[in-house]
Amino acid sequence: MWLLRRRLGGNLPPMLRALVLNATYEPLAIVAPRRAVVLVLDRKAEALDGSGNWFHAERMAVEVPSVVRLTRMVAVDRSRELAISRRGVFARDQGRCQYCGDRAETLDHVVPRSRGGTHSWDNVVAACRPCNVGKADRLLPETRLRLTRLPAVPRRLSWVSMAIGTVPDQWRPWLPAAA
Ligand SMILES: [Zn+2]
């Protein structure tokens, strides 16, 4: 049985996660602390930075890494794009309705699904409720709404902030500025 304790006491940060880098230092994934420890103990990864939190096992204590680097390179399928998510769309669109600029509360399919629109980055935008409800199942030319910009797949590395909302300071040195 593993116990997770904090070196200096206090509560664990609720969002505690570890960043996994490829052997090439390219950011690959975000994993639970236990998974990061196992990667290091299995020598599948080296810890690059510690979190200040410790896993205590029967005869040892291991600092939970904040950043690990895989010892062997993992081939990344570059054709596979970032999965679309509500949080991702809101992050890309900065929480603003892409029709009127108000605070967005909903996701809108630019070409409605009932008209053959896909659930994809280039067809889903953040929208305020009035715009979304007003548009309903119509195509844009059938409405007065216009997109402030064309939706697109977000920059490749911004998945990190999209996945967790914020980027811990300890990860910043390992991430491109865009992440
Ligand atoms: Zn709106």
Side-chain angles (χ1 to χ4, degrees), residues 53-72:
N53 302 290
W54 290 74
F55 267 115
H56 292 266
E58 239 170 73
R59 286 194 195 82
M60 61 176 173
V62 182
E63 185 172 16
V64 179
S66 168
V67 181
V68 300
R69 172 179 171 243
L70 298 179
T71 48
R72 293 180 60 180

Side-chain angles (χ1 to χ4, degrees), residues 33-100:
R34 177 183 305 229
R35 176 85 184 120
V37 169
V38 170
L39 282 171
V40 172
L41 291 179
D42 286 350
R43 300 185 193 286
K44 288 179 178 159
E46 59 168 339
L48 295 180
D49 200 355
S51 65
N53 302 290
W54 290 74
F55 267 115
H56 292 266
E58 239 170 73
R59 286 194 195 82
M60 61 176 173
V62 182
E63 185 172 16
V64 179
S66 168
V67 181
V68 300
R69 172 179 171 243
L70 298 179
T71 48
R72 293 180 60 180
M73 197 181 98
V74 168
V76 179
D77 180 359
R78 291 178 193 286
S79 65
R80 202 181 72 186
E81 62 181 42
L82 180 69
I84 187 169
S85 66
R86 178 184 173 89
R87 181 180 277 176
V89 171
F90 271 74
R92 181 197 64 188
D93 296 344
Q94 298 175 313
R96 293 285 152 195
C97 174
Q98 296 301 288
Y99 299 115
C100 74

